[in-house]
Amino acid sequence: MFKSVVALVTLAASAAAHYTFPSLVVDGTTTPAWVNVRKTNNFNTQAPVTDVTSADFRCYDSQTDPTAETITVQAGQPLGIMSDGTIYHPGVVNVYMAKAPGDVSSFAGDGDVWFKVYQISAVTDGGQSITFPAEGVPGVTFTLPEALPSGQYLVRMEAIALHVASTYGGAQFYISCGQVNVENGGSGTPGPLVAIPGVYTGYEPGILININYPIPKNYTQPGPAVWSG
């Protein structure tokens, strides 16, 4: 009986430590959950993706047949992505965007169309310590580049939890894709462009890593460089 209770408590604590990213923040206002973000498979379980080659690694929505509304944002202005709690685990963040050829609602994001617009990495000091500025925050906010061309985009949030990433497949990816219509954009050429899935193998030093011992002397953020316009 005691063992059963302990197992249930452990399971509940594990579930509580997980999270989703169901909302955007536009003009300082947080949107309702799953209105401007495609509902992910884990909207109830909050379970992460661990297979970087899976089709669900893109928007994690294979089981929900999601529909989302597209919200208008301005190039050069802040855009936020909010969790349903906090980013509980130690780890890093990448935010990718992909421009739809037309209506983003019917855009799957296939091919080399994704570019990184924002990241939060780890902080190291030569092996004495490693800290994760993204840990414990409720969401992220970044500025859309002024040079970002007008049009409709998917915005993909990726929080990579690294607390059990010392073996292949141990890193946990918390993912969602929002839909935005960018107005007053510029004439930049976003890049480098990558495919998702395809951007990672899972063996990158920033994904397959023991953050506990020995303490890493440095940290290499996975993915391409951030495009800032």
Side-chain angles (χ1 to χ4, degrees):
M1 176 67 178
F2 177 74
K3 289 183 178 179
S4 298
V5 171
V6 170
L8 287 172
V9 171
T10 302
L11 180 62
S14 175
H18 294 171
Y19 34 93
T20 63
F21 293 94
S23 301
L24 302 180
V25 183
V26 177
D27 294 331
T29 299
T30 301
T31 64
W34 311 119
V35 171
N36 303 114
V37 176
R38 296 179 178 182
K39 183 177 285 188
T40 50
N41 296 355
N42 66 339
F43 73 98
N44 275 328
T45 68
Q46 299 180 311
V49 178
T50 56
D51 181 358
V52 300
T53 67
S54 165
D56 269 329
F57 190 65
R58 184 181 299 157
C59 291
Y60 202 7
D61 58 2
S62 63
Q63 299 172 15
T64 60
D65 191 24
T67 57
E69 299 174 11
T70 303
I71 191 168
T72 295
V73 297
Q74 305 297 314
Q77 297 300 309
L79 175 64
I81 306 169
M82 292 298 292
S83 75
D84 55 1
T86 65
I87 299 177
Y88 182 84
H89 301 108
V92 299
V93 166
N94 290 316
V95 179
Y96 291 87
M97 296 183 70
K99 191 174 189 293
D103 185 354
V104 71
S105 295
S106 58
F107 179 51
D110 294 329
D112 293 337
V113 295
W114 295 90
F115 57 97
K116 191 192 290 187
V117 288
Y118 183 68
Q119 67 182 27
I120 304 175
S121 194
V123 178
T124 59
D125 61 358
Q128 296 300 309
S129 66
I130 182 168
T131 58
F132 299 93
E135 183 179 4
V137 302
V140 302
T141 300
F142 61 98
T143 300
L144 292 168
E146 292 184 359
L148 183 68
S150 296
Q152 297 195 4
Y153 291 81
L154 288 175
V155 183
R156 178 181 175 274
M157 174 68 178
E158 174 187 279
I160 311 174
L162 299 172
H163 57 299
V164 289
S166 59
T167 58
Y168 183 83
Q172 299 177 354
F173 294 82
Y174 296 87
I175 297 164
S176 72
C177 288
Q179 296 180 185
V180 298
N181 176 49
V182 175
E183 292 185 342
N184 299 314
S187 57
T189 304
L193 297 178
V194 298
I196 301 175
V199 63
Y200 311 136
T201 65
Y203 291 99
E204 289 79 6
I207 294 176
L208 180 57
I209 182 174
N210 187 336
I211 64 172
N212 299 303
Y213 184 85
I215 297 172
K217 293 183 178 180
N218 50 59
Y219 180 80
T220 303
Q221 186 81 359
V226 171
W227 182 75
S228 61

